[in-house]
Each structure stands twice: as structure tokens, then as C-alpha cells.
Amino acid sequence: MIQLKSLTRIFDDKPVLDAINLEIPEGSFTSLLGPSGCGKSTLLRILAGLDQPSAGTLLFDGEDVREKSATLRNIAMVFQSYALYPHMTVRANIGLPLAMRSMSRLERLPLVTALLPSARRKRAANGREVERIAAMLGLTELLERKPSELSGGQKQRVAVGRALVRDPKAFLFDEPLSNLDTKLRGQMREEISLLHKQTGKTFIYVTHDQTEAMSLSDQVAVMMEGHILQVAPPRILYSRPANTKVAAFVGEHPINLLTVKPVGTALQSPFGAFVLSEAWDGDIILGLRPENIALVENGPLQGRVTRVDYLGGHTLLDVELSEGICLRVADEEGPLVPAVGNVVQLSIAPQKIHLFKAESGERLPLEVRQRGEAV
Amino acid sequence: MIAARYLSRAVSLGLLLLGAAIILLPFFWMISLSLKPADEIFQDSIQLLPSHFEWNNYVVAFTKMPLWRFLINGIIVCCGILILQILIAVPCAYALTQRDFRGKAIVMGMVLAGLLVPYHVTAIPLFLGLSQLRLLDSYAALILPFIASVFGIFLFRQFFATIPKDLIDAARVDGLSEMSIVWRIAFPLAWPAATAFAVFSVVAHWNDLFWPLIAVSSPELATPPRGILFFRDVEAGSSFGPLMAATAIVTAPLVLVFLMAQRAFIQGLTMTGLKG
């Protein structure tokens, strides 16, 4: 278990990480998701021991590791740029962490390695381990090549192999797939997922790509501007976002947000008239995901299409409601093929509406019903 | 059109040839003199080629003076300087690029300022210092003043600045100490820069006459250029044939080394953005 307690990192008087609290259970797959510059990479570097927190505690299995170097923490890291040593073969790249750990300074000297029996033995054992890992990752044929002779996916595998060979306590991934093309990305995603199941180790994965975070993780920590906004399993993150920022960030298409003022339990909005399960005094932000709005032949809402983006599986529409309010709609390809200028009818599912407090943006724990439905 | 292009090529080629001829002429003259018999050297008329090859000049060069000794001294001094320079400059350059410490900018500024100081300026203080340490007239006197090379620090710094930070971080995570990173990761990557630096350093110190003249007086410590001066005999007059033969021998290793390292040398210069 890795615990972060009010962890803070300040660069030039600006907090890049502001009192981060996070628990990463043993063997879990945890993603740090956020836009670039939100501090997620800094957090990863602190976990790796490459950077020091300005304040707060970092516990590995209850032990404070702030003073420990990356090696002593036994953490492996896969970098976005792969960071393979260009002058070494694949074999040497994967074998270096092993050599650094198992052999003494003396045994590592070039000539001594050939002469000392203990060094020879260790080198042979390391060599076997490297070959085992290489076979596992399908790199056996490439062992004698230099990184410059490898494709992106192969480099990525070597980087993973170099992490794997040390049998670390946890794996850290820093946007490992962002340099790959879409197809390879999907494939590598599967491989990383498989690797997590095979090793059963803690994986901590930094990404700005929510598809990666959602599809791989047991829990996702959404970060923005140095804060963790929500830590939750992917499903909860999508279905019960803790605030408007998470709601806006998670989801394939940006969520529709609209501020309205309820009167008691009655809620009159451009999306229709609703009833709250409890009265609420103050402005409310309604959140409605584009994919929860459907084009229907006969719906309660009507609007004019102002933009159409055809995306293959579905179509993204901007529909201007009569009140001059624009609604984003993600329509599964249905019988209706809308065009710009068409007037369309929409229906929404009230139970899919998210409610947030207007002043803080936090989730409002209330239910919504369509007006007129039975209580 | 085509004629004009040929003409412009012919003109530029001609200019290049002329430039090459001007640069090569002294070398040619040196070799020519080293092969001429003594009476021919002092003829009034200029003759490019010797009437017959006088190989004896080379024999005299090796027998009259301990030329081998001078050459070995040159190798000891140049290698000593180069190895120590690299041992010092590479970790310094690494610290200046990949580490953060207080006063980094000031240290870098001092390195740049150091580049502007000609080493002749420091000759007298160095001489006095070495004399206080009773190190004058020794190999140490020839080597020690040059081991901290600001040029080397600068050149390696330029190169190390291009190494991605991720690579250094990966090495740290993989369990390499900072010194291991310097010698196992950064230095092998900087191989072209190291070659370029080695050529600069060896050429400068092999050819240096100024400092050996000041620092040593014993003939058995003389570096090649200092040794050649011994051919200028005050009483018997100068024996130019053997002198030129010795000069040719002394120049040869440098030319050979440069020809062998040429590609890496040029690569090292272009990759550090230090062109020209």
C-alpha cells in the first residue's frame, strides 16, 4: 500500500501539488488522469524518488520513504520517451538494472567481470533472467539490436522489460503510449493490462487520455491544477462525478452544463420541467451528457440543428433549443439522419441528469424526476 | 547556363586549390628541405625538389638528438593532460547540465569567462606556484597546469545539454549513482564530443612550445617542439636538414591522428552547435 498524506510540492512559490491525499492499494491499477500541467507527472516523479515533496508524507507499507532513493524504494518506471540507453543493445538495456543491483562496484568493472568467478556467476544468472523477460515480451530476436533500430512499439516493450526485470514493488508509467499511433496504442494497452494481471503488482499510470485511464484502471484519480478532484473506480467517475470539473473532463464528449434556479422542489429548465427529491435553496447546475440525449420522432424537446460532426459510430450535433440555448447531442446512428437547419425532437432521461451546487460546483446528492411522474 | 555553372565551379575550385596550396606549401617545403643535402639548402635559387634524396638527414635526426625520447615525452604529456582533462571536465559538465545546485549560473559564467583568458596570462603565476611546490622541471609541471580545461567543460556541457532528462532519470531509477551515470551513460553518448576535444587538446599540447620552454630545462623532459630547438646548435650553426627531418617526424603523428579521427571530429563539432 502506498499512502500520500497532504503531499505538497512547490516550484518557485507556486504549488504544483497542493496537499494531495491518496491511497494506492497493493496490487491495484491506479491512474492519475488530468490535463497537461496538472501536476500528475510531478506526483509520479515524487513517487519514484526523482523529486522531493516540499511538505507532507509519503508512506510505502507504512514506512516513510521520503529520504530513500529510487533504487531503495524498488520502483520501476516506464517513460514517455522510453528513455532507452542509445549506446547499449537491448540486452544491455534490460540487464543494466540487474547488474547495478546484484553486482558490487568491483564486480561491475569491465575486466574484473571476466576474471572474478562470483562476477561471472552473477552475470550468467542475470543473462538468463534477461532472456526470460525478453522471451515473455517477444524480444528474443531483438536482443542484440540498438534502440535506434527498433520501432516505437518495440522500444516500448524494451522499456517495459527493463522495468520488469527488477521485480519491483510498483510500476510507474508516465504517459507510456502517447508516442504510439492509435492502432499500436490499443494493442499496447491490452499488453499492459495483461502484464498487470500476470505480475499482480501495483501499477500507477499517468495519462491525459481518459480512454486509457478508464479501460485499464481499478481506480482513477482525476487531477487538476495540483489538486485531486475525485478518486473512484472508472464507472463511478463517469456515473457519479464529484463536481462539474470532473464531469466536464470525463466522458468522450463535453457534458452540457446549465445553471438553473429551483423553486422549492420544482425545477424549470430549458431541458424540461423536473422535480427534485428534496427542496434546495440556491442555484443548481444541471449536467447532461450528450450521449444521454436521444433524437426521437416525438419528444418533449425541440430544437434546430446548427452543427453536425459525423464520427462513424455516432454523430455529434449541436442543437439550438428555442430559448437560444445550445445543447450538445451524441446520437447513435438511428433512423433519423439530421442535417444543419433541420428541426429535431429530443428526449432525455431524467435519471441521467447530474446535479451540482452552482457556487462550489460540487455534486448535489439529490434525485431528479420528470414532472408529472408518479411519486 | 551550363557553361556558366561550369565556370562558377571552376572559379570556386580554383580558389580552393589556391587556398590549399598556400596552406600546404610550408609542409611541402619542410619535407623538401628535410630531404635535401646540406649544400643545396643554402643555394641562392629556389628549388622545390631536392636533386637527390638525402635520407641521411633522418638518420642524423634520430642519432644526434634523443628524438625518440622527445616523442615519448610528447605522448606522456599529451595523454596525461587529456586523461586528466576528461576526468575533470566530464563530471563538471554533467553537474552543470543535469544537476541543480546553488550558484550554478555563476559557475557557468566563470567557465565562459575562463574561455576568454589566454593561457599565457596565467603563465607567470603558474610558474611561481609550481616553483613554490618544487615541481618545476618535471612531468607534473608540464601536465598539471592544463588539467582543468574550461574549453572541455564547455564542449561537454553543450553536448550533455542535448541528453534528454528522461534518460538520466531512467538511469537513476535503474539504480545508477550519479558518477555511474556520468561514465556509463553520459560519457559514452558524448563520444563524438570527446573525440573532437581529444583532437583539440592533443594538437594544442603536442605543438606547445611556450610552456615547456618555461617549465622544464632538462633535455630528457623536452617535448617534441622543445626538442627540435636543440638542433639549433649555437656553436656549430644550425643543421637545417636534420632539423627539418625532425620537424617532419614530430608533425606526422598529429596528421595521422587527425586523419583517423576526422569523421568523429567533424561530427563532434557539428553536434555541439560549435561550428566554424
Side-chain angles (χ1 to χ4, degrees):
Chain A
M1 171 121 95
I2 297 172
Q3 286 166 295
L4 289 72
K5 289 185 180 161
S6 52
L7 201 76
T8 302
R9 178 70 173 101
I10 294 167
F11 280 128
D12 301 332
D13 295 337
K14 264 191 289 183
V16 180
L17 295 174
D18 195 359
I20 297 282
N21 289 301
L22 182 63
E23 280 197 2
I24 300 166
E26 196 71 40
S28 76
F29 197 122
T30 300
S31 289
L32 305 174
L33 175 67
S36 43
C38 71
K40 56 192 193 302
S41 288
T42 308
L43 186 54
L44 200 69
R45 289 173 56 83
I46 289 176
L47 285 172
L50 293 170
D51 196 2
Q52 295 301 318
S54 312
T57 21
L58 175 60
L59 305 174
F60 283 20
D61 297 326
E63 185 201 351
D64 193 336
V65 294
R66 273 175 303 169
E67 300 296 313
K68 278 192 171 182
S69 71
T71 335
L72 289 175
R73 296 181 191 187
N74 194 18
I75 290 276
M77 188 153 167
V78 175
F79 292 83
Q80 180 178 357
S81 59
Y82 320 126
L84 302 178
Y85 310 120
H87 58 295
M88 297 184 188
T89 60
V90 170
R91 184 188 296 277
N93 260 289
I94 298 179
L96 187 64
L98 269 187
M100 294 315 288
R101 197 178 50 181
S102 69
M103 295 163 86
S104 68
R105 194 175 282 269
L106 178 71
E107 287 170 334
R108 286 198 306 262
L109 290 175
L111 265 177
V112 178
T113 316
L115 293 173
L116 263 185
S118 70
R120 271 214 306 272
R121 238 187 350 265
K122 284 179 191 168
R123 202 166 64 155
N126 289 349
R128 280 194 298 280
E129 184 61 16
V130 168
E131 267 158 37
R132 189 181 70 81
I133 296 289
M136 191 173 140
L137 294 166
L139 292 170
T140 310
E141 321 275 279
L142 308 174
L143 276 175
E144 305 311 325
R145 294 218 195 150
K146 293 270 178 73
S148 56
E149 302 165 81
L150 303 178
S151 70
Q154 289 168 337
K155 281 184 197 166
Q156 181 70 69
R157 270 202 205 101
V158 176
V160 170
R162 192 174 62 184
L164 209 56
V165 77
R166 291 166 46 195
D167 191 26
K169 176 181 165 53
F171 288 90
L172 308 183
F173 292 88
D174 189 6
E175 311 229 5
L177 305 184
S178 48
N179 287 351
L180 302 176
D181 60 56
T182 321
K183 205 165 196 174
L184 205 53
R185 206 179 292 170
Q187 194 188 328
M188 288 309 292
R189 208 165 66 202
E190 259 169 54
E191 282 183 28
I192 289 176
S193 180
L194 199 65
L195 200 66
H196 179 237
K197 290 195 185 80
Q198 281 174 347
T199 58
K201 302 273 179 183
T202 310
F203 277 42
I204 302 167
Y205 191 100
V206 159
T207 183
H208 63 264
D209 179 354
Q210 49 169 307
T211 327
E212 283 172 23
M214 302 292 266
S215 61
L216 287 169
S217 321
D218 300 321
Q219 65 167 0
V220 180
V222 180
M223 291 185 68
M224 243 170 255
E225 288 160 359
H227 296 274
I228 288 187
L229 299 179
Q230 187 172 10
V231 185
R235 247 166 230 290
I236 302 293
L237 211 60
Y238 179 80
S239 61
R240 299 184 66 79
N243 51 49
T244 46
K245 285 181 187 162
V246 174
F249 191 75
V250 175
E252 194 183 347
H253 304 300
I255 194 169
N256 295 294
L257 294 172
L258 192 67
T259 310
V260 289
K261 196 169 178 59
V263 183
T265 60
L267 192 63
Q268 188 65 42
S269 85
F271 302 168
F274 304 104
V275 183
L276 297 176
S277 56
E278 268 172 60
W280 178 258
D281 188 26
D283 284 358
I284 288 180
I285 298 176
L286 290 185
L288 187 57
R289 295 194 184 278
E291 54 271 33
N292 294 142
I293 308 173
L295 284 190
V296 289
E297 285 190 41
N298 220 338
L301 290 178
Q302 184 177 304
R304 223 162 50 85
V305 177
T306 57
R307 209 179 83 166
V308 179
D309 281 348
Y310 179 69
L311 297 171
H314 59 276
T315 310
L316 194 65
L317 307 163
D318 278 357
V319 178
E320 198 182 21
L321 301 178
S322 36
E323 287 87 352
I325 288 159
C326 223
L327 200 56
R328 217 172 289 111
V329 179
D331 183 46
E332 301 267 327
E333 214 162 351
L336 299 170
V337 184
V340 174
N342 283 10
V343 173
V344 291
Q345 312 253 337
L346 306 169
S347 89
I348 55 179
Q351 65 274 16
K352 301 277 190 184
I353 293 179
H354 304 275
L355 298 178
F356 304 99
K357 297 173 194 165
E359 73 268 27
S360 63
E362 277 171 57
R363 185 173 188 86
L364 194 61
L366 298 180
E367 304 286 318
V368 191
R369 273 181 293 109
Q370 198 95 41
R371 175 172 284 176
E373 276 177 25
V375 180
Chain B
M1 274 311 283
I2 291 173
R5 207 163 65 205
Y6 273 119
L7 188 70
S8 84
R9 264 198 206 165
V11 168
S12 52
L13 201 63
L15 286 172
L16 283 173
L17 281 174
L18 186 69
I22 290 171
I23 287 168
L24 286 175
L25 189 66
F27 288 92
F28 180 78
W29 194 238
M30 168 184 84
I31 289 168
S32 167
L33 280 181
S34 76
L35 291 168
K36 278 179 184 173
D39 51 347
E40 223 173 284
I41 291 172
F42 293 105
Q43 263 178 359
D44 294 346
S45 60
I46 291 177
Q47 234 172 339
L48 274 180
L49 292 171
S51 58
H52 73 278
F53 291 142
E54 181 63 60
W55 296 107
N56 199 37
N57 283 336
Y58 283 84
V59 178
V60 172
F62 275 105
T63 49
K64 190 179 172 198
M65 285 288 157
L67 192 53
W68 283 118
R69 183 72 207 223
F70 302 153
L71 290 171
I72 290 167
N73 284 344
I75 291 169
I76 293 172
V77 169
C78 285
C79 287
I81 289 174
L82 181 62
I83 290 168
L84 290 169
Q85 275 178 335
I86 284 178
L87 279 177
I88 292 170
V90 170
C92 285
Y94 174 80
L96 282 172
T97 47
Q98 304 288 349
R99 303 274 308 170
D100 280 320
F101 54 91
R102 200 176 298 178
K104 185 168 152 178
I106 295 172
V107 173
M108 192 57 215
M110 279 159 64
V111 167
L112 289 176
L115 279 174
L116 303 176
V117 181
Y119 85 105
H120 308 89
V121 171
T122 56
I124 291 169
L126 278 174
F127 178 85
L128 294 175
L130 287 167
S131 117
Q132 292 273 310
L133 293 167
R134 305 195 177 285
L135 283 175
L136 283 175
D137 207 17
S138 68
Y139 283 122
L142 289 172
I143 292 172
L144 287 182
F146 303 105
I147 59 173
S149 160
V150 278
F151 175 68
I153 294 173
F154 180 71
L155 193 75
F156 282 111
R157 194 208 86 95
Q158 295 302 94
F159 206 92
F160 289 167
T162 65
I163 297 180
K165 236 182 161 50
D166 271 2
L167 203 61
I168 307 293
D169 281 340
R172 285 186 185 131
V173 173
D174 281 346
L176 276 75
S177 66
E178 295 297 307
M179 265 303 172
S180 306
I181 294 175
V182 170
W183 297 113
R184 281 175 168 261
I185 309 293
F187 185 58
L189 288 177
W191 194 240
T195 316
F197 176 65
V199 170
F200 273 126
S201 166
V202 168
V203 167
H205 296 293
W206 183 271
N207 288 338
D208 188 24
L209 177 61
F210 176 75
W211 183 250
L213 266 179
I214 295 174
V216 295
S217 48
S218 319
E220 57 269 26
L221 285 172
T223 56
R226 175 74 189 84
I228 287 171
L229 284 190
F230 290 125
F231 284 90
R232 270 178 34 190
D233 207 318
V234 184
E235 289 133 52
S238 298
S239 42
F240 276 105
L243 192 152
M244 280 299 152
T247 313
I249 292 164
V250 162
T251 321
L254 285 189
V255 176
L256 285 177
V257 166
F258 180 75
L259 286 180
M260 283 191 295
Q262 193 181 16
R263 263 188 68 183
F265 176 71
I266 288 163
Q267 197 188 1
L269 286 189
T270 49
M271 281 176 83
T272 47
L274 229 176
K275 294 184 184 111

